[in-house]
Amino acid sequence: DANVKAEATIKVVRPELTGIEIVLADSVVEGFTTNATITVTPQFADGSVTWSSSDENIAVVDPATGVVTGKAVGKVTITATAK
């Protein structure tokens, strides 16, 4: 019969970001680059972040892409902050 039908309702949600893990090499050669990436929890949460370096004299990080450039010998902390 042409009048037979079924309907279903679905709720669209945006998972709330609960965790960020940075994936980054242990070192980068002075004058070269390496890529920092993230893994987010839960898997489908928005992973938009801004990157920063604790000391831009030693290493700079592109705030949008996570590309880290070694500037001088030393140790820095690279941070990913959720937007």
Side-chain angles (χ1 to χ4, degrees):
D1 187 317
N3 292 325
V4 175
K5 68 178 182 176
E7 294 179 346
T9 302
I10 187 169
K11 180 179 179 182
V12 177
V13 298
R14 178 175 298 160
E16 182 177 327
L17 181 66
T18 59
I20 301 172
E21 180 179 336
I22 297 176
V23 179
L24 180 62
D26 291 335
S27 63
V28 62
V29 175
E30 191 175 3
F32 286 81
T33 62
T34 188
N35 294 323
T37 60
I38 59 166
T39 302
V40 297
T41 305
Q43 178 181 359
F44 298 108
D46 180 4
S48 299
V49 297
T50 300
W51 295 94
S52 61
S53 169
S54 63
D55 187 340
E56 292 191 345
N57 293 313
I58 297 172
V60 295
V61 59
D62 184 296
T65 66
V67 173
V68 179
T69 303
K71 303 279 284 181
V73 174
K75 196 177 227 182
V76 299
T77 300
I78 301 300
T79 303
T81 304
K83 291 183 180 179

